[in-house]
Amino acid sequence: MAFRLGWSQLANGLFRFGAWSVACAMLGLATSAVAQESEKSLSDIEKPFPSQVFFGDTHLHTDISVDAGTMNRLGQEAAFRFARGEEVKTTHGLKAKLRRPLDFLVIADHAEMYGLMPRLLAGDKEILATEKGQRWYEMLRGGDRESTFKAAMEIVASLQEKEPPFSSEKIVRDSWHAYTALADQYNQPGKFTAIIGYEWTAIGGYNLHRNVLFRGGASSANNTVPFSQFDSQNPEDLWRALAAFERKHGERVIAIPHNGNLSNGRMFTVENFDGSPLSRQMAELRARFEPIVEVTQIKGDGEAHPMLSPGDEFAGYEIWDAANLDGTERKKPEMLRWEYAREALKTGLMLDKTLGVNPYKFGMIGSTDAHTSLAAVEEDNFFGKHSGVEPEPGRWEHMVIEAPDPELTIYGWQMASSGYAAVWAEENTREALFDAMVRKETYATTGSRMVVRFFGGWDFTSADADKGSIAERGYTKGVPMGADLPKASAQGAPSFLVAAMKDPIGGNLDRIQIVKGWQDKNGVLKEKVYDVVWSGKRKPSRDGRIPAVGNTVDVANATWQNTIGEKELRAVWRDPEFDPAEMAFYYARVIEIPTPRWTAYEAKRFGVKMGKDVPMVTTERAYTSPIWYSPIR
């Protein structure tokens, strides 16, 4: 069975190099005068401005990861080959290929017991000499799916202990050096970027995890080995270790937090790790080493929550909010505030005022967190969280994460086919992509490859959105996503230039929104979502809401029609409620029209009927990094 969806080599090459507008024209999607103008406006301006958007995954696991390796038999080389567009065979023998290659990849295998799983499966004598090593070897080699899954859950649980069940410094170092050499081998500047990284997996059930990315190649990364939770479960110690690495070796490194939605109130708090009030020193360390946050992935979306944003009709997307990661603690409503990106951005404004530094001044990306070695999250080509839930008739009801309380167990249909990181950079190289992440010129998508530009300034007018180069005007008259608004040249409210072009093979665009968060004069944190530009001739209702765009999805056949929505949307918006005394942030959210969810494709593919609670329709979206405004102090 092949889950490949063929596409022309020409289009593959064009997308690989980031030439979006040219690819759209070749595919017959840029046919109107406005769409043709977008060939220059969205991704083809001259340097020194970043002229291309590159799509990739900063969070992929292979058989090297101790948890993934219990079920996944694909190694790191297969992961690189798949990401750059080659066909591979999955653990269970399916043919797999991306319709469009990725531009970059970070294989972020777990630091904990790095590289030991392949040695365990090979019968390494040193590992089998331990009680747990022998037990897991027998469970994993038995060939029984239930036994394999049970071993996997035990191994995941072991990551919460203070000491590893078995360890070998030599195996870790040798495995790390093999990976960094492989990354250098597959790194092709200008064509495909292999960024070196790993995942620090601390407080397993509470998901204080970070992906660590290196700017340099093997010669730099080999000066260390992955810092693991067995070195420390305290993220502050991770930041200190990264700072020491930078001082000693003169190379930049960053950490990317993920899945705050499963941290049960621990990810974006106002406390140090020991529970004391957040100190300025820790806030500064976090701000330096965590410039971006992964807000969407297979384990749910972390942009906003309906309980925190009751006025936001789009806040309930792919929510996982029942418990922590392993289902050992049920979620309490008061935990939510410290888990979601929008709320963290608001908390950051408060901390900036009290500490003089904002630890949550982060940009946004998406990535997969797939444990299959396959960075595949398009709805019609989704290979799941781990190799135990590859495409097959019953995977929608298979267990993905087993919890002690059956009500908190996660099943296959709850997986979100998400997401990717979009990076605006001068070129597809390690240095350019890394530097763009540091300056936060990034956005998150839930799997769609729509092109999004977002600029802030004081002098944008409606004419700037009409025609011509959006990017040239944006960089000339303002600042891009991830930046601070410059000092105003005169009195008035800030203006924002925003533009989006649909994924050429995805759904049309429904609307673009700008999300504002601010702290008022009384210290109260507030937010508001503004519909800035939308498709069709819809008009706001009395309460200011834009009517739904409609729904063309044929669930039974897993198809939809692009007869609603627009190929491209662009606008200039000025904050109608601006107060120059109030600190604020703004980010753009782009919503697609409804399209079939991966479950609809799966039901059609295998001819199965899923439960009534299983969602069959999705609305793909993108979240840009914010632009911040600060009063003159």
Side-chain angles (χ1 to χ4, degrees):
M1 183 180 298
F3 285 84
R4 293 178 298 165
L5 295 174
W7 212 37
S8 71
Q9 289 298 107
L10 175 61
N12 268 339
L14 289 169
F15 278 105
R16 190 170 185 169
F17 281 85
W20 277 95
S21 55
V22 178
C24 290
M26 295 296 295
L27 293 170
L29 293 170
T31 55
S32 70
V34 173
Q36 289 172 358
E37 184 63 32
S38 73
E39 292 178 26
K40 291 186 295 182
S41 67
L42 291 183
S43 58
D44 196 26
I45 64 170
E46 295 182 358
K47 289 182 178 181
F49 306 132
S51 60
Q52 299 180 78
V53 61
F54 299 101
F55 289 89
D57 186 359
T58 65
H59 192 177
L60 183 70
H61 296 274
T62 73
D63 68 345
I64 290 294
S65 287
V66 69
D67 55 352
T70 58
M71 291 178 271
N72 179 11
R73 299 296 175 263
L74 270 67
Q76 294 170 329
E77 185 163 12
F80 280 131
R81 288 177 50 230
F82 180 81
R84 70 180 190 181
E86 297 179 37
E87 181 179 284
V88 302
K89 279 193 176 183
T90 72
T91 294
H92 297 293
L94 301 177
K95 292 179 180 179
K97 185 177 181 180
L98 285 174
R99 179 190 283 111
R100 298 170 290 186
L102 294 179
D103 297 305
F104 65 92
L105 178 67
V106 183
I107 296 178
D109 281 314
H110 292 295
E112 291 69 32
M113 298 181 281
Y114 193 95
L116 268 69
M117 184 52 63
R119 299 293 185 100
L120 167 64
L121 292 171
D124 183 277
K125 292 181 180 179
E126 182 181 353
I127 297 174
L128 294 189
T130 67
E131 179 183 349
K132 286 186 177 178
Q134 181 66 42
R135 168 180 164 78
W136 290 337
Y137 176 79
E138 292 173 357
M139 294 173 71
L140 293 171
R141 298 289 292 182
D144 176 71
R145 173 177 282 192
E146 185 176 339
S147 179
T148 297
F149 185 77
K150 187 175 181 180
M153 292 300 99
E154 287 187 16
I155 291 171
V156 170
S158 76
L159 298 181
Q160 300 184 48
E161 303 296 332
K162 291 187 177 181
E163 297 294 332
F166 38 78
S167 62
S168 170
E169 292 183 9
K170 182 179 186 306
I171 290 177
V172 170
R173 186 170 296 278
D174 289 349
S175 300
W176 176 247
H177 287 186
Y179 160 56
T180 61
L182 189 68
D184 276 6
Q185 176 187 333
Y186 275 84
N187 188 58
Q188 297 177 285
K191 294 183 179 181
F192 177 81
T193 296
I195 299 175
I196 294 172
Y198 66 86
E199 179 178 329
W200 175 76
T201 311
I203 318 295
Y206 297 100
N207 217 83
L208 293 183
H209 308 174
R210 269 84 171 168
N211 294 329
V212 175
L213 275 60
F214 293 80
R215 187 176 188 270
S219 60
S220 170
N222 285 349
N223 287 311
T224 187
V225 293
F227 186 92
S228 87
Q229 75 108 27
F230 298 122
D231 295 306
S232 175
Q233 295 184 327
N234 185 344
E236 297 161 10
D237 290 335
L238 172 67
W239 303 331
R240 293 185 184 101
L242 300 182
F245 174 86
E246 287 192 343
R247 286 194 303 270
K248 185 173 182 179
H249 302 291
E251 290 277 3
R252 279 304 311 269
V253 61
I254 60 173
I256 305 176
H258 57 272
N259 274 130
N261 62 312
L262 297 177
S263 70
N264 272 22
R266 288 166 169 79
M267 182 58 79
F268 303 116
T269 71
V270 291
E271 298 177 339
N272 293 316
F273 186 74
D274 63 7
S276 61
L278 183 65
S279 65
R280 181 185 175 98
Q281 180 189 25
M282 286 302 105
E284 289 174 338
L285 269 179
R286 184 164 191 160
R288 171 171 174 76
F289 288 106
E290 299 188 355
I292 55 178
V293 168
E294 179 189 298
V295 298
T296 187
Q297 59 135 285
I298 291 172
K299 298 199 301 294
D301 195 87
E303 183 239 354
H305 190 281
M307 190 174 294
L308 301 171
S309 305
D312 182 357
E313 62 187 304
F314 292 101
Y317 183 77
E318 296 287 357
I319 294 295
W320 284 32
D321 63 356
N324 59 348
L325 174 60
D326 59 3
T328 55
E329 181 182 75
R330 191 178 291 272
K331 188 85 66 185
K332 298 176 182 178
E334 59 267 26
M335 297 173 177
L336 296 172
R337 179 184 176 186
W338 315 110
E339 298 185 346
Y340 285 82
R342 186 187 301 175
E343 206 68 22
L345 291 167
K346 288 157 58 179
T347 300
L349 301 179
M350 176 186 69
L351 291 171
D352 196 346
K353 212 165 188 177
T354 58
L355 295 177
V357 61
N358 183 350
Y360 302 132
K361 198 172 185 178
F362 53 72
M364 293 195 266
I365 63 163
S367 281
T368 70
D369 195 13
H371 283 53
T372 59
S373 305
L374 308 174
V377 291
E378 289 181 343
E379 300 293 331
D380 60 354
N381 193 34
F382 177 47
F383 277 84
K385 167 66 178 171
H386 56 67
S387 296
V389 284
E390 287 189 5
E392 62 178 39
R395 76 157 164 171
W396 68 275
E397 55 186 350
H398 288 169
M399 280 190 294
V400 177
I401 301 175
E402 185 178 14
D405 182 346
E407 288 187 5
L408 303 179
T409 291
I410 299 295
Y411 294 94
W413 65 267
Q414 294 171 277
M415 294 185 290
S417 186
S418 185
Y420 284 135
V423 180
W424 283 103
E426 294 83 357
E427 57 186 2
N428 189 5
T429 63
R430 283 170 168 167
E431 297 78 12
L433 293 174
F434 186 97
D435 293 346
M437 293 180 194
V438 169
R439 66 174 183 267
K440 309 162 196 170
E441 200 163 352
T442 64
Y443 60 95
T445 88
T446 56
S448 172
R449 300 197 198 183
M450 64 181 85
V451 181
V452 184
R453 284 287 202 185
F454 182 52
F455 298 94
W458 300 93
D459 304 313
F460 290 120
T461 66
S462 57
D464 292 320
D466 290 342
K467 290 185 179 181
S469 174
I470 289 285
E472 186 173 15
R473 294 182 186 189
Y475 286 109
T476 300
K477 299 177 70 173
V479 296
M481 61 184 80
D484 291 282
L485 280 169
K487 180 182 177 182
S489 56
Q491 289 187 345
S495 53
F496 297 87
L497 175 61
V498 63
M501 186 166 64
K502 73 180 290 292
D503 183 330
I505 59 174
N508 280 345
L509 304 179
D510 170 6
R511 68 188 73 190
I512 300 177
Q513 301 174 310
I514 289 180
V515 179
K516 177 187 178 182
W518 73 98
Q519 185 176 30
D520 70 13
K521 295 175 182 178
N522 298 316
V524 179
L525 297 173
K526 296 183 176 181
E527 66 173 64
K528 191 169 183 178
V529 180
Y530 297 88
D531 288 304
V532 172
V533 59
W534 52 90
S535 63
K537 298 180 180 180
R538 293 172 287 167
K539 295 182 179 180
S541 61
R542 290 183 179 180
D543 63 359
R545 290 184 181 272
I546 303 301
V549 69
N551 187 348
T552 68
V553 176
D554 178 349
V555 172
N557 291 300
T559 60
W560 84 98
Q561 300 294 321
N562 271 331
T563 53
I564 56 176
E566 299 287 347
K567 294 180 175 64
E568 182 180 8
L569 294 171
R570 51 171 73 188
V572 168
W573 176 82
R574 192 175 295 274
D575 184 354
E577 302 174 82
F578 177 68
D579 185 331
E582 296 175 344
M583 191 177 297
F585 64 82
Y586 306 81
Y587 67 87
R589 181 171 65 182
V590 185
I591 308 290
E592 285 187 7
I593 67 170
T595 51
R597 192 174 183 264
W598 72 268
T599 43
Y601 288 107
E602 196 100 326
K604 171 64 175 176
R605 181 180 292 136
F606 295 114
V608 299
K609 186 176 181 179
M610 300 182 185
K612 62 180 181 179
D613 294 332
V614 178
M616 292 290 176
V617 177
T618 188
T619 50
E620 302 276 9
R621 58 201 54 203
Y623 315 119
T624 73
S625 293
I627 294 172
W628 287 267
Y629 165 75
S630 296
I632 298 174
R633 293 173 175 171

